[in-house]
Amino acid sequence: MKKEKQEAFVIKSVKYGEHDKMLTLFTKNDGKLSAVAKGALSPKSKYIASSQLFCLSEFVLTEGGGMPYVSTADVLKGFYGINKDIERLAGAGYCMELTDVLYEDKMAEPLAFRLIYYTLLLMEEADLQLVHLSVLAFVLKLCGIAGIAPVMNACCSCGKKSASYFFDYNDGGLVCPTCKESAVLMPKLTAKEAELMDAMLHIDLTKLRQVSPPDKQTVRYLLKIMNDYIKYSFPRKLKSFDLLYSL
């Protein structure tokens, strides 16, 4: 049987039959793929740690019966600190679900792999007040990697800066009041809010802890705009967003 070694995050883990788990992995080499962790639901399973959501492990996957299954798994980093707060858990869960939505199987993307790693580090270690801002940065950056980054530095129609903007889901970015179609309802942003989103799109995540976060209500509002933009671009509801938005 063919075997392959993969360094991967668990971005989704669900019950599969009586004793197994179906893992959705985001691998360093091959992007997203699925594999069965046989017996992972058993209290004595050797896969208890490596089959947990967020966990980064080195997996050996074996092809068999048309579905890859986990042959061995060695945990590299568990990110267990994420579980200590509901906000960290909700933020990290949303990031993983978004990754699952934006990527098809076998779409290799090393930049997304690194983005997941540094975002989970932030979710685990950064001050709690930075969680929502970290998620906003992740969403914008992942959209950038996926090729759907919104235009946030000026009006995407006329190219001019403005004291206020609207977010156009169809055009994928800001439009100024002059360029906005009067009959279309769009969320409004101040220039300061637009600047924040543009900054989060381009920030080095290792420096995010040095940022003084704006009020949570502002970040939640901008997260909702991005979540609605993703739903517009990929017609699938992200179930984890409601919990994150409520916190």
Side-chain angles (χ1 to χ4, degrees):
M1 290 187 179
K2 181 183 177 182
K3 292 186 177 181
E4 61 177 335
K5 186 178 290 185
Q6 293 278 9
E7 189 175 325
F9 295 98
V10 178
I11 64 172
K12 187 177 181 180
S13 177
V14 298
K15 184 178 179 182
Y16 185 70
E18 289 298 316
H19 307 290
D20 307 335
K21 282 185 177 181
M22 176 66 74
L23 306 181
T24 303
L25 306 176
F26 198 88
T27 70
K28 189 173 186 178
N29 298 325
D30 296 322
K32 193 178 78 170
L33 55 86
S34 298
V36 177
K38 294 185 176 181
L41 292 173
S42 169
K44 296 182 180 180
S45 173
K46 59 184 177 181
Y47 303 128
I48 287 179
S50 58
S51 63
Q52 299 301 309
L53 193 62
F54 317 130
C55 192
L56 172 64
S57 298
E58 185 175 72
F59 294 92
V60 174
L61 304 178
T62 302
E63 293 285 346
M67 173 63 70
Y69 66 89
V70 178
S71 178
T72 64
D74 296 315
V75 175
L76 301 176
K77 186 167 179 58
F79 298 98
Y80 303 120
I82 290 173
N83 296 306
K84 65 187 177 183
D85 296 296
I86 186 64
E87 287 191 43
R88 298 180 195 275
L89 191 61
Y94 178 71
C95 292
M96 297 305 98
E97 186 181 8
L98 180 62
T99 304
D100 189 25
V101 167
L102 261 59
Y103 283 90
E104 300 292 337
D105 290 351
K106 294 289 186 177
M107 288 175 59
E109 187 44 83
L111 288 177
F113 186 90
R114 292 183 60 191
L115 177 62
I116 292 170
Y117 180 80
Y118 286 112
T119 300
L120 291 179
L121 277 182
L122 284 169
M123 292 290 112
E124 182 179 45
E125 300 174 357
D127 291 341
L128 199 57
Q129 61 182 347
L130 280 173
V131 167
H132 281 72
L133 190 62
S134 300
V135 176
L136 180 63
F138 177 88
V139 173
L140 284 158
K141 287 179 174 296
L142 193 65
C143 284
I145 294 170
I148 58 167
V151 177
M152 299 306 304
N153 60 350
C155 174
C156 62
S157 180
C158 69
K160 296 180 180 178
K161 294 187 179 296
S162 175
S164 64
Y165 298 96
F166 294 89
F167 192 95
D168 189 328
Y169 298 118
N170 187 57
D171 287 345
L174 304 176
V175 291
C176 66
T178 302
C179 295
K180 177 187 176 294
E181 295 182 30
S182 58
V184 180
L185 292 176
M186 300 178 187
K188 191 174 182 178
L189 295 91
T190 64
K192 188 174 182 180
E193 289 169 339
E195 288 170 5
L196 174 62
M197 291 182 75
D198 191 55
M200 290 301 101
L201 175 61
H202 296 99
I203 194 171
D204 180 343
L205 284 184
T206 62
K207 299 179 180 179
L208 189 62
R209 295 183 219 193
Q210 304 170 16
V211 174
S212 179
D215 65 277
K216 186 187 290 188
Q217 195 68 23
T218 296
V219 181
R220 287 171 73 249
Y221 175 66
L222 299 180
L223 271 172
K224 187 175 188 310
I225 289 175
M226 285 305 300
N227 186 69
D228 290 342
Y229 172 55
I230 291 162
K231 286 196 299 181
Y232 181 88
S233 304
F234 297 84
R236 285 176 56 186
K237 181 179 179 181
L238 283 86
K239 298 178 181 178
S240 57
F241 181 74
D242 290 343
L243 174 59
L244 177 64
Y245 187 70
S246 70
L247 297 173

